[in-house]
Amino acid sequence: MSLIEDGASGAGAPIVELRDVNKWYSDFHVLRDVTLTVGRGEKVVICGPSGSGKSTLIRCINRLEEHQEGEIFVDGVELVPDVRRIEAIRRQVGMVFQSFNLFPHLTVMDNLTLGPILVQGTPQEAAEAGAMELLERVKIPDQAWKYPGQLSGGQQQRVAIARALMLRPKVMLFDEPTSALDPEMISEVLEVMVELAQEGMTMICVTHEMGFARKVADLVVFMDEGEIVEAAPPEQFFADARNERTKLFLSQILH
Amino acid sequence: MSTTGSISFAVPRSAPRRDPPAREAGVLLWLRKNLFSSVYNSALTLLALWALFVTIPDFVAWAFVDAVWQTDDPAACRAAAGACWAVVAEKHRVMLFGTFPYDEHWRAVAVIAVVIAMAIVSVFKRFWSYWLFVAWLGATGIVLLLLLGGLFGLTPTGTHQWGGLPLTLLMFVGTVVGGMPLAIMLALGRRSSLPAIKAICIGFIEIVRGVPLITVLFMASLMFPLFMPEGLTIDKFLRAQIGMILFFAAYAAEIVRGGLQAIPRGQYEAADAIGLGYWQKTGRIVLPQALRIVLPALMNDIIRAFKNTTFVSIIGLFDVLGATATALEDPLWVLYALEAYVFIFVLYFVFCYAMSKYSERVERDLSKGRNL
Ligand SMILES: Nc1ncnc2c1ncn2[C@@H]1O[C@H](COP(=O)(O)OP(=O)(O)OP(=O)(O)O)[C@@H](O)[C@H]1O
Ligand SMILES: [Mg+2]
């Protein structure tokens, strides 16, 4: 749908664009000629075996990792080694981590309001009102004054999602948001993510939750050894994957 | 819970609340458990009892029964068999205030009172606010005014006249307040990605840690003047203060660095991801967590800084210990140095023990929850 290789431009104007991105960890070639365009409002699910470079790829989009070749554009602005521009881009991009990474010394409320107050200069009251609104949306308004250590994993991850949404980002990145959760908590996080998708958020999501991919994804991307091996809408991706490696992977995770 | 027929696995009933059963107590039990639990233990207990039996009566006789508490005549002490506490009564002004002018001692007392009062107030969490900071600024102003004089009709007293407990306390507070920010900057600089900053910080820390405090003080006292432009001299007190700050900072920097290393990478990444800049990330996310982790170790270093103030007497400043040594130069009382030093020992012990108790409490609070 929006893989630039076939020249088709998706529904929305591109908001994240990667062109021939290459990255090495010392001499290990971790991303190889990765090209991907994500339009406004699109949802992309990235899957692939462990070590295939999925995390590295999405971490390049908000410059937690630096790519060495190729170009990455976020909302039309190219990612270059310029601190100000990187910080500006990071405000457009929310990120949710596998291990939540909440700030343990701050209350849930402070975790949420820190960004708007420090980065955008939002007055505290307005920031807190915005935070409560988001906590309602992720269904834990009653946890606002607790510390992260007092919450369950599923609640922590929902706080992390709310925190990422506080700066009103244009894109949300998720790196295996449910892999560190106990099974009974996965659904409460996925539910929040599905709602977010239905509200029209642009999402790039590394996950092996194929039910989620079927439900919300516009495009499923399969990565292996640093390459995008296959990219297709979910119906096509799950029904008739073309590549042998994709088929093998699918047979392993869909029993 | 099954109550089918007459077979029941749980019998519902209600029981009134009761006190817990009395624990086996009693003096004999305690003695047996703690002092005579084995042959060795019993032997050690008996040995210790014997040692106490031999020493305590003599000590009590010396320190209390036969002691001379008050006299202005050293001959009275020579005649007595016990301790001569009169030396403390006679010399306490010099011991506590050094060379500070006699008529202005009330100002020195006021300084001690202000510093101790501020320290006590600062211990209580409920006072931790912006106002406490303002109060410290105010206290600093008052202390400097009292010690320097020259305003509001107070006789000017230069730093060369400072001495005794006010000097010790000022040197200590100055060392910690000046040294902590420097330590934090050094610790951050040591992890900097800029090679020049990193090299300077590592060089400074390693050099200062590699030499004894006395050397640092001598360098501060003798070498600073060489680097200063002609005609500009820095005060001796200030030079010693700078030396103490540098020494404290080098050690504290390594402690802070340990805390920085304990912060998981995910914390930095999460701060990056919401677009915080370096100083926001460092000030709001990294340092608050890192300092909490190393607070007990830092308290240890702070207590050591208090004891290290005694070294300034080597470069000619009269802290409590130095002032006491001067007081004992009086040939009439020189025989009773032991008593004077016992007093100084108690004084230092009170301060250090209070700090150590406080750090214990902080540690307990920290281990209970994540929040201070
Ligand atoms: N900082 C690093 N230095 C060197 N090699 C790294 C670094 N980070 C990741 N790698 C390597 O790069 C490869 C890709 O890592 P990446 O984390 O992107 O994989 P992934 O697809 O997210 O895997 P997983 O499903 O296990 O999370 C792996 O082989 C990994 O060992
Ligand atoms: Mg990964």
Side-chain angles (χ1 to χ4, degrees):
Chain A
M1 183 178 246
S2 47
L3 201 64
I4 212 168
E5 281 168 328
D6 53 23
S9 75
I15 186 134
V16 174
E17 232 181 313
L18 294 91
R19 292 191 198 139
D20 293 319
V21 170
N22 281 278
K23 176 172 176 59
W24 290 262
Y25 284 124
S26 54
D27 54 5
F28 175 59
H29 201 168
V30 59
L31 293 180
R32 298 191 279 158
D33 281 339
V34 172
T35 294
L36 175 71
T37 302
V38 181
R40 224 173 274 272
E42 285 186 334
K43 290 98 188 119
V44 176
V45 164
I46 302 174
C47 60
S50 178
S52 55
K54 309 179 294 293
S55 298
T56 308
L57 174 64
I58 71 163
R59 291 158 60 87
C60 281
I61 297 173
N62 67 349
R63 249 316 154 107
L64 290 183
E65 300 288 352
E66 199 175 329
H67 61 283
Q68 283 113 10
E69 279 180 13
E71 292 152 348
I72 299 178
F73 293 88
V74 175
D75 203 18
V77 181
E78 189 179 359
L79 269 171
V80 290
D82 165 358
V83 179
R84 283 178 180 277
R85 203 189 280 195
I86 291 167
E87 281 170 13
I89 285 176
R90 281 174 177 164
R91 282 159 216 174
Q92 314 277 340
V93 181
M95 182 151 194
V96 176
F97 301 87
Q98 181 173 353
S99 50
F100 327 140
N101 294 349
L102 294 177
F103 306 128
H105 62 302
L106 300 177
T107 58
V108 166
M109 182 55 85
D110 288 339
N111 264 277
L112 264 61
T113 56
L114 191 73
I117 290 175
L118 290 185
V119 173
Q120 295 174 326
T122 312
Q124 174 153 352
E125 273 172 38
E128 287 189 0
M132 277 319 288
E133 213 171 284
L134 282 174
L135 286 175
E136 307 258 0
R137 256 168 74 183
V138 299
K139 303 175 190 74
I140 38 174
D142 45 334
Q143 311 290 336
W145 301 103
K146 289 195 183 164
Y147 286 89
Q150 300 167 300
L151 306 186
S152 75
Q155 291 172 326
Q156 290 191 47
Q157 193 60 298
R158 284 183 283 156
V159 171
I161 294 173
R163 178 177 69 182
L165 289 170
M166 278 300 284
L167 292 171
R168 316 233 162 263
K170 296 185 176 148
V171 190
M172 284 285 283
L173 308 176
F174 294 83
D175 191 0
E176 304 205 34
T178 56
S179 318
L181 296 175
D182 291 336
E184 71 270 21
M185 295 172 187
I186 290 178
S187 60
E188 65 188 49
V189 170
L190 286 179
E191 199 179 310
V192 167
M193 290 171 62
V194 169
E195 280 171 23
L196 196 59
Q198 285 163 350
E199 287 163 22
M201 175 61 76
T202 310
M203 294 164 70
I204 303 175
C205 193
V206 175
T207 183
H208 290 161
E209 292 293 334
M210 290 305 147
F212 174 80
R214 278 209 176 88
K215 199 162 176 181
V216 306
D218 297 305
L219 184 75
V220 183
V221 171
F222 173 71
M223 281 186 76
D224 194 17
E225 295 178 357
E227 289 178 305
I228 293 185
V229 172
E230 185 136 5
E235 318 80 61
Q236 188 187 333
F237 184 87
F238 293 111
D240 60 344
R242 308 214 173 107
N243 193 291
E244 283 310 312
R245 285 189 279 176
T246 318
K247 283 183 194 158
L248 179 66
F249 176 76
L250 282 175
S251 72
Q252 280 163 350
I253 65 164
L254 308 170
H255 331 280
Chain B
M1 291 270 266
S2 154
T3 47
T4 25
S6 59
I7 305 164
S8 167
F9 297 105
V11 185
R13 66 166 147 195
S14 94
R17 281 177 198 282
R18 291 186 290 138
D19 287 336
R23 272 199 290 161
E24 257 191 283
V27 179
L28 279 180
L29 189 80
W30 185 90
L31 283 178
R32 207 172 50 224
K33 237 170 92 181
N34 291 291
L35 296 177
F36 298 98
S37 58
S38 69
V39 178
Y40 283 120
N41 220 336
S42 307
L44 283 174
T45 301
L46 291 176
L47 196 70
L49 281 177
W50 175 78
L52 289 176
F53 179 74
V54 171
T55 54
I56 291 239
D58 285 353
F59 177 77
V60 169
W62 176 79
F64 301 104
V65 182
D66 300 332
V68 178
W69 294 92
Q70 189 121 36
T71 175
D72 44 17
D73 179 13
C77 276
R78 223 161 308 145
C84 179
W85 300 121
V87 68
V88 177
E90 181 72 17
K91 294 291 181 193
H92 74 277
R93 292 268 193 142
V94 185
M95 287 161 71
L96 289 178
F97 310 122
T99 46
F100 207 64
Y102 194 86
D103 290 337
E104 309 295 335
H105 280 183
W106 66 271
R107 281 155 55 183
V109 173
V111 165
I112 296 170
V114 167
V115 173
I116 292 179
M118 284 307 297
I120 290 175
V121 168
S122 307
V123 157
F124 294 101
K125 257 183 267 178
R126 81 182 88 119
F127 295 126
W128 290 5
S129 69
Y130 169 73
W131 290 109
L132 185 62
F133 179 70
V134 174
W136 269 106
L137 285 183
T140 308
I142 291 171
V143 164
L144 288 179
L145 172 68
L146 286 168
L147 282 178
L148 284 168
L151 284 176
F152 307 117
L154 295 175
T155 320
T157 38
T159 58
H160 61 283
Q161 291 174 297
W162 294 3
L165 195 52
L167 185 138
T168 296
L169 291 178
L170 207 62
M171 188 61 82
F172 167 62
V173 174
T175 301
V176 176
V177 171
M180 267 325 289
L182 181 59
I184 290 171
M185 297 316 285
L186 285 168
L188 292 172
R190 192 166 186 163
R191 291 161 58 90
S192 170
S193 51
L194 305 172
I197 290 182
K198 188 171 174 164
I200 290 170
C201 292
I202 292 181
F204 175 87
I205 292 171
E206 295 307 331
I207 288 172
V208 175
R209 289 203 317 154
V211 294
L213 174 56
I214 298 180
T215 319
V216 175
L217 285 175
F218 272 126
M219 300 259 278
S221 157
L222 302 175
M223 283 179 58
F224 277 165
L226 299 182
F227 298 134
M228 285 293 136
E230 201 82 36
L232 185 74
T233 55
I234 323 183
D235 188 276
K236 200 201 303 187
F237 177 85
L238 213 53
R239 276 180 272 157
Q241 180 75 84
I242 292 171
M244 296 289 290
I245 287 177
L246 296 182
F247 191 78
F248 175 77
Y251 278 87
E254 285 300 280
I255 295 176
V256 173
R257 185 168 70 106
L260 293 176
Q261 274 168 342
I263 306 302
R265 216 176 90 174
Q267 292 291 305
Y268 291 87
E269 292 177 350
D272 283 340
I274 57 175
L276 299 189
Y278 175 80
W279 290 110
Q280 293 173 332
K281 177 170 63 175
T282 304
R284 304 301 283 269
I285 307 300
V286 180
L287 274 179
Q289 296 187 62
L291 291 180
R292 255 165 246 230
I293 295 171
V294 297
L295 202 57
L298 273 178
M299 280 304 294
N300 209 18
D301 228 38
I302 287 171
I303 293 173
R304 187 159 51 190
F306 184 75
K307 293 185 285 184
N308 279 350
T309 54
T310 52
F311 281 102
V312 299
S313 60
I314 284 166
I315 56 169
L317 291 172
F318 297 103
D319 73 307
V320 179
L321 196 63
T324 301
T326 327
L328 292 168
E329 276 164 18
D330 182 346
L332 291 176
W333 294 96
V334 69
L335 282 177
Y336 309 105
L338 175 63
E339 285 85 340
Y341 284 122
V342 167
F343 173 73
I344 295 302
F345 164 83
V346 171
L347 192 70
Y348 273 96
F349 181 77
V350 166
F351 278 103
C352 293
Y353 188 68
M355 284 191 272
S356 143
K357 273 286 152 197
Y358 175 59
S359 98
E360 243 173 59
R361 205 188 77 186
V362 167
E363 218 170 315
R364 220 173 26 237
D365 284 359
L366 283 176
S367 68
K368 256 188 269 166
R370 303 205 65 131
N371 314 299
L372 195 65

